[in-house]
């Protein structure tokens, strides 16, 4: 299948040192997420708001919510303790772009105090088009968009509603607006040279076959990586599909889908679905060392 070296040089230069994208780099560089974004502007059927957003994080763990000031302090504390700290992401617990003041204030504070740290964010994409210029202004290195469908009829089964233009919109109409914004946002970012990764949650019987079409749609709009993640299904994750709950895919089903997409573009298979307040090298979680109490005591 396609390897990382098939990427254009300017993209490869960014990717090769990135802990989340390069198998090689993730042993040497650390990343952290700060949980500054509590609100969300859509409802996913696989989400229950008690946990971190599945945009970029493992559901089932509750992250500590921070103000932008606390978050930037935490970043500085972590960067002085973990020298490999190179990437700061905002990924939840809700949608970063449904909390634009908090998200961009955090970026502003970090850019002012630690300009070498690369910034990233993940989003469901609904509010992406209106924020692309601000994202570019803050030199955000890469954006992850969670895209689970390009067909509103499939979308209506995944998203009961969105909140847009000060009102709640339901069903197929909601999914249609969401997919339009996701596609337009993706195009606008890649036109500006911002790296875009797409995450998809594989939901058996709902979008499993359809994700091959999603793969084509995001590749043609310049996404450099497609990360297909399994739905994590259990009562405590709050998956509300169907009456008896929706099962997640088997490892075999996931691999078969990833294989049928591979060759189309780079697929990411080592994502750890980190929590929204993850700290450290990939696969490692040092968040307990950096709780707000401890950071405020570091004065
Ligand atoms: Fe990287 Fe995936 Fe973790 Fe995000 S969730 S920091 S992309 S490994
Ligand atoms: Fe939950 Fe994230 Fe979906 Fe919002 S975008 S409903 S926080 S999974």
């Amino acid at each position: 299948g396609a390897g990382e070296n098939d990427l254009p040089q300017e993209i490869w230069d960014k990717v090769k040192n990135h802990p989340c994208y390069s198998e090689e780099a993730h042993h040497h560089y650390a990343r952290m997420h700060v949980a500054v974004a509590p609100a969300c502007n859509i409802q996913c059927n696989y989400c229950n708001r008690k946990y971190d957003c599945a945009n970029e994080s493992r559901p089932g763990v509750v992250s500590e919510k921070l103000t932008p000031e606390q978050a930037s302090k935490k970043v500085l504390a972590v960067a002085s303790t973990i020298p490999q700290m190179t990437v700061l992401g905002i990924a939840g617990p809700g949608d970063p772009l449904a909390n634009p003041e908090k998200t961009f204030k955090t970026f502003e504070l970090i850019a002012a105090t630690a300009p070498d740290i690369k910034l990233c964010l993940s989003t469901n994409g609904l509010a992406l088009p209106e924020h692309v210029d601000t994202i570019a202004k803050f030199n955000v290195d890469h954006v992850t968009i969670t895209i689970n469908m390009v067909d509103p009829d499939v979308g209506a089964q995944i998203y009961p509603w969105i909140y847009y233009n000060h009102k709640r919109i339901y069903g197929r109409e909601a999914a249609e607006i969401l997919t339009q914004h996701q596609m337009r946002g993706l195009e606008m970012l890649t036109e500006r040279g911002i790296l875009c990764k797409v995450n998809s949650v594989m939901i058996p019987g709902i979008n499993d076959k359809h994700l091959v079409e999603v793969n084509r749609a995001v590749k043609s709009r310049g996404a450099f990586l497609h990360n297909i993640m399994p739905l994590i299904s259990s009562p405590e994750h709050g998956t509300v599909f169907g009456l008896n709950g929706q099962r997640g895919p088997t490892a075999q089903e996931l691999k078969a889908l990833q294989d049928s997409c591979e060759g189309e573009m780079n697929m990411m298979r080592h994502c750890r679905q980190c929590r929204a307040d993850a700290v450290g090298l990939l696969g490692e979680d040092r968040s307990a060392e950096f709780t707000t109490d401890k950071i405020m005591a570091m004065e």
Side-chain angles (χ1 to χ4, degrees), residues 15-299:
V15 166
K16 69 174 187 246
N17 293 331
H18 197 291
C20 299
Y21 300 147
S22 158
E23 293 268 8
E24 191 46 41
H26 90 263
H27 301 294
H28 307 293
Y29 299 96
R31 54 81 186 94
M32 69 182 287
H33 290 175
V34 287
V36 296
C40 193
N41 49 3
I42 70 174
Q43 176 68 62
C44 302
N45 260 336
Y46 51 75
C47 177
N48 121 7
R49 294 294 167 72
K50 276 192 274 174
Y51 303 121
D52 289 339
C53 174
N55 277 337
E56 187 65 357
S57 53
R58 170 165 25 93
V61 268
V62 185
S63 44
E64 191 186 31
K65 288 175 198 71
L66 301 174
T67 64
E69 289 73 20
Q70 289 169 328
S72 83
K73 233 184 134 183
K74 178 171 178 174
V75 173
L76 292 180
V78 170
S80 65
T81 312
I82 304 178
Q84 308 99 312
M85 230 304 281
T86 50
V87 180
L88 181 269
I90 301 184
D95 188 82
L97 298 179
N99 305 261
E101 297 84 8
K102 292 181 176 129
T103 293
F104 293 124
K105 183 71 190 170
T106 304
F107 284 162
E108 187 189 320
L109 292 170
I110 291 164
T113 46
D116 292 340
I117 291 178
K118 290 181 184 147
L119 304 175
C120 67
L121 67 89
S122 59
T123 177
N124 59 47
L126 178 63
L128 194 47
E130 64 192 275
H131 292 299
V132 164
D133 289 332
T134 315
I135 291 169
K137 186 183 103 189
F138 281 109
N139 250 325
V140 170
D141 189 73
H142 67 274
V143 173
T144 301
I145 315 172
T146 300
I147 300 181
N148 296 319
M149 55 85 202
V150 289
D151 174 350
D153 289 320
V154 176
Q157 299 172 66
I158 302 174
Y159 308 103
W161 54 260
I162 65 169
Y163 191 81
Y164 178 62
N165 262 347
H166 311 288
K167 56 178 191 286
R168 203 169 280 212
I169 302 164
Y170 297 87
R172 194 182 187 284
E173 188 191 353
E176 197 159 0
I177 294 169
L178 180 61
T179 184
Q180 282 167 1
H181 287 212
Q182 289 174 333
M183 294 300 124
R184 184 153 22 102
L186 173 58
E187 283 169 1
M188 292 169 79
L189 288 169
T190 56
E191 274 163 17
R192 286 162 177 76
I194 298 169
L195 283 185
C196 289
K197 178 184 83 179
V198 169
N199 278 353
S200 298
V201 182
M202 179 184 183
I203 310 159
I206 306 282
N207 70 349
D208 46 351
K209 302 201 169 60
H210 179 60
L211 285 178
V212 177
E213 204 178 314
V214 171
N215 183 261
R216 252 179 252 129
V218 302
K219 183 198 176 193
S220 71
R221 288 171 177 81
F224 82 97
L225 221 160
H226 190 195
N227 173 30
I228 297 179
M229 310 182 294
L231 175 77
I232 300 172
S233 183
S234 70
E236 65 271 23
H237 291 136
T239 306
V240 295
F241 279 105
L243 282 177
N244 301 311
Q246 164 73 45
R247 73 172 180 93
T250 64
Q252 257 173 333
E253 288 170 331
L254 180 65
K255 183 167 184 308
L257 174 61
Q258 288 174 334
D259 287 343
S260 66
C261 293
E262 202 152 28
E264 298 263 331
M265 72 185 300
N266 297 284
M267 299 292 297
M268 179 170 178
R269 294 181 189 229
H270 69 282
C271 177
R272 301 294 197 284
Q273 297 183 243
C274 316
R275 45 190 287 168
D277 59 0
V279 175
L281 295 170
L282 222 62
E284 156 185 279
D285 184 11
R286 296 179 59 176
S287 56
E289 290 170 47
F290 300 99
T291 59
T292 311
D293 289 0
K294 290 181 187 161
I295 284 155
M296 295 307 139
M298 282 179 192
E299 289 281 15

